[in-house]
Amino acid sequence: MKRIVIIGSSGGNLYNLGGKDPQKLLGEIRTQAESAGFEIAAIQFVAAQGSMDSAGKETSSAVYSWDEAAGAPVISFTGTLEECNQHVRSTDEQWADELRNGRVDGLISMSADPNRANEQIIKAAVEKKIPIVGTGGTSMALISAKGAHVILTSGTTGTTNRTRAISFVTAFAKHWGISYRPMIGDTKLAGAVSDSPWKRINIRGIMMSSLPGFIALALVLALSKIPGLDMLSGVFDVLIKALPVVIAAIAAKQVSDMEEVSVVAGVLAGVLSMDGGIIGGMIGGIGAGLLVNVLFRKCIEWKFPTTTVNIIAGGVSGLVAGLLVYYLLAPIALQAGEWVKVLIEGAVSYSPILAGLIAGLLIWPAIIGGVYHAAILPIVLLEMEKTGNSFLGAVDMVGLVMVSAGITLANIISPRDKSEATVATPGFLINMGFGTFVEAAYPFMFSNKMVFAGAIVSSGIAGMMVGVFDVRGTAYVPSVMAPLLSNNMLGFIVAMASGLICSLIITLIANQIAKKKNVRPTEENVSA
């Protein structure tokens, strides 16, 4: 097993690019080293409470060392910057001897001080021709000038904790002829011939993460209807155009997970994919995320400086994916979104009451069966992209949220058992206060068939009322705010009330029947 030593400091520019959070910076190196099968032998890292560009001798600082037992970096000394540098110098000779004795195979340097704090270990690395990788323009230039065997050097501009760590370990792995795939989250980043990045494509996850953007759109739409705030209609138009960018950035981040690099790639792809709507943004973002992984690895293999690697991986990936959508796929993606909208509008136009009834009856089986987030939520967001609210979004609020609120309220008022009131109360408050957590009704639905059937019937009735009043709205907002975000405030209030009251009454009846069944055997025993 190859053993590496990490030396350096939180640096000047590095401080603003991860150095101010040493645990995360060093932890990322540990993660990638473990993925390659390398062992961290030691850490000598000085972390100042400010950039080294402006820090002085009296700046509060800490020294991070490697705790072999815990397998993690820990603070071993605190004091002023001068005291911390002196502490590092006291252990520098020890690890210099380790290098000379052949017990260290590689050195990672990040904004190190080769003339003072880290002088001895650098001398030993030069003598033994130990391969060195690192960042910090001035620092690495000084180390190279001493005749060190530097196999990767770069400034810190444009880098992140993850991309630096992957660059370091990739350089070592190639130098030693060791197979290595970077660790991203709980999975290893694939090379150009592997399909692992494709496995991280999760349409449901992308849509759920993008939901706050759509809710912001709905809020602006509602505010623009208030007299005197009609100027916000222009903001609404801007937000609609921005939604593909939001989707693309999230898609690229989830597929690549290369921190800021993937976000930049996603934003670039999203800006160029705006004409394709949110479907175009998703395609552009996914493409950017896939390309980030491929280009990043190739640039590292070609020994490009880390800063250049990040620029190419983030910039070129976003441009290529975005231009592909801009010139080829945008019309197709936009038309796909239009087809969904036309399909919904066609069903509602044919019979809004029937459409609402069917949607209401099916929405509970859909969410219980795991179909809601995979199929219905994307359709809701596609509707909202066009108008800021949604027919199915309104059914969601009245058929799921309000029905769940009604079931939990019934179990607060008249529970089958006193303990159930304690379980029901948080669920009711969250549903009413935040427009989410419909799962709070599950314990009561799954334990009583009448409550389960009542939930579906109540949802069907509430959905039918959505059709009667031709309501468009959204869930995931406080219940008192939801009518304000709809196209028909009074109609939405009636539909919401119908779902809550109907489920409340049915659950109260079901609880009373259940209580009588439990009491009857006891009464017979008493009579006997």
Side-chain angles (χ1 to χ4, degrees):
M1 180 178 286
K2 298 294 183 181
R3 304 180 81 226
I4 58 177
V5 171
I6 303 170
I7 63 172
S9 71
S10 51
N13 193 28
L14 177 63
Y15 181 82
N16 300 309
L17 296 170
K20 63 182 176 182
D21 187 356
Q23 284 288 0
K24 187 174 181 181
L25 181 150
L26 298 170
E28 190 65 56
I29 296 175
R30 178 196 62 188
T31 298
Q32 302 307 327
E34 289 176 351
S35 180
F38 301 160
E39 178 185 349
I40 295 178
I43 293 176
Q44 292 179 325
F45 190 85
V46 178
Q49 296 296 310
S51 170
M52 292 293 186
D53 291 336
S54 57
K57 293 182 178 181
E58 300 302 315
T59 301
S60 297
S61 305
V63 176
Y64 282 79
S65 301
W66 179 249
D67 186 328
E68 189 172 351
V74 296
I75 296 176
S76 58
F77 183 84
T78 59
T80 65
L81 180 57
E82 178 62 28
E83 290 170 342
C84 287
N85 283 332
Q86 185 62 43
H87 177 80
V88 169
R89 282 194 287 269
S90 69
T91 61
D92 192 40
E93 184 65 44
Q94 172 192 343
W95 284 103
D97 290 340
E98 292 288 304
L99 265 69
R100 292 188 178 96
N101 293 330
R103 288 193 283 268
V104 174
D105 302 289
L107 190 64
I108 294 177
S109 169
M110 294 179 289
S111 299
D113 182 2
N115 292 331
R116 289 179 292 275
N118 308 116
E119 181 180 7
Q120 296 304 317
I121 198 169
I122 294 297
K123 281 185 177 180
V126 171
E127 293 171 13
K128 300 295 292 184
K129 296 296 181 182
I130 297 292
I132 299 176
V133 299
T135 59
T138 302
S139 172
M140 292 305 295
L142 292 172
I143 291 173
S144 298
K146 293 177 181 291
H149 181 32
V150 177
I151 62 173
L152 175 72
T153 181
S154 175
T156 54
T157 302
T159 64
T160 69
N161 289 332
R162 179 159 298 165
T163 59
R164 277 192 301 274
I166 292 175
S167 299
F168 296 157
V169 177
T170 300
F172 279 138
K174 187 173 182 180
H175 178 75
W176 291 322
I178 295 173
S179 176
Y180 159 65
R181 286 184 180 175
M183 184 69 72
I184 303 296
D186 295 328
T187 59
K188 289 190 176 182
L189 177 63
V193 297
S194 175
D195 63 348
S196 291
W198 295 90
K199 294 179 181 179
R200 292 196 293 273
I201 299 174
N202 186 332
I203 305 300
R204 179 175 64 180
I206 294 170
M207 287 296 195
M208 283 296 295
S209 298
S210 304
L211 186 59
F214 290 85
I215 297 301
L217 181 73
L219 288 171
V220 170
L221 176 63
L223 291 172
S224 68
K225 296 178 180 179
I226 298 175
L229 295 179
D230 53 328
M231 77 287 289
L232 289 175
S233 59
V235 176
F236 177 79
D237 294 337
V238 172
L239 284 177
I240 284 182
K241 294 179 181 178
L243 289 178
V245 182
V246 174
I247 292 277
I250 290 172
K253 176 68 168 60
Q254 291 192 2
V255 172
S256 172
D257 199 17
M258 294 288 284
E259 297 181 320
E260 290 89 341
V261 174
S262 54
V263 173
V264 170
V267 170
L268 287 173
V271 169
L272 291 171
S273 303
M274 287 193 294
D275 290 343
I278 64 174
I279 293 179
M282 183 175 297
I283 294 172
I286 290 172
L290 294 171
L291 284 173
V292 164
N293 290 347
V294 174
L295 291 180
F296 187 90
R297 283 187 62 83
K298 286 299 180 183
C299 289
I300 292 295
E301 291 173 4
W302 295 332
K303 296 186 177 181
F304 285 9
T306 310
T307 297
T308 305
V309 171
N310 283 274
I311 291 172
I312 293 176
V316 175
S317 297
L319 284 174
V320 171
L323 289 171
L324 180 65
V325 177
Y326 185 84
Y327 284 112
L328 297 178
L329 302 178
I332 300 172
L334 187 63
Q335 188 59 52
E338 289 292 338
W339 284 337
V340 172
K341 181 185 175 184
V342 169
L343 181 63
I344 296 295
E345 289 182 345
V348 174
S349 298
Y350 175 75
S351 176
I353 297 175
L354 180 61
L357 175 63
I358 293 174
L361 291 174
L362 294 179
I363 200 163
W364 272 107
I367 194 168
I368 292 172
V371 178
Y372 173 85
H373 293 99
I376 296 179
L377 181 61
I379 294 174
V380 170
L381 299 186
L382 282 168
E383 282 191 273
M384 292 183 70
E385 179 192 19
K386 306 298 179 183
T387 60
N389 46 40
S390 158
F391 180 81
L392 286 179
V395 175
D396 183 338
M397 172 58 83
V398 304
L400 289 178
V401 178
M402 287 296 102
V403 168
S404 178
I407 292 171
T408 50
L409 179 59
N411 282 282
I412 295 172
I413 297 172
S414 179
R416 291 173 300 178
D417 184 87
K418 290 182 179 179
S419 62
E420 292 186 339
T422 304
V423 175
T425 300
F428 173 75
L429 294 175
I430 294 173
N431 274 302
M432 295 300 292
F434 299 96
T436 184
F437 195 34
V438 300
E439 296 84 356
Y442 282 179
F444 312 107
M445 293 171 62
F446 295 153
S447 63
N448 190 311
K449 293 180 180 179
M450 185 174 177
V451 175
F452 191 102
I456 295 176
V457 170
S458 301
S459 181
I461 293 172
M464 186 170 61
M465 299 306 293
V466 168
V468 168
F469 293 101
D470 194 24
V471 175
R472 302 292 188 279
T474 183
Y476 300 99
V477 295
S479 59
V480 294
M481 185 183 294
L484 300 175
L485 307 183
S486 71
N487 65 328
N488 185 335
M489 186 185 303
L490 180 59
F492 204 14
I493 292 173
V494 172
M496 290 171 65
S498 66
L500 189 148
I501 294 172
C502 186
S503 60
L504 171 67
I505 293 173
I506 292 174
T507 305
L508 287 173
I509 294 172
N511 285 354
Q512 289 301 316
I513 293 173
K515 284 181 181 180
K516 289 180 180 179
K517 286 183 178 180
N518 290 334
V519 169
R520 188 175 296 115
T522 304
E523 292 176 342
E524 290 175 357
N525 290 336
V526 171
S527 299

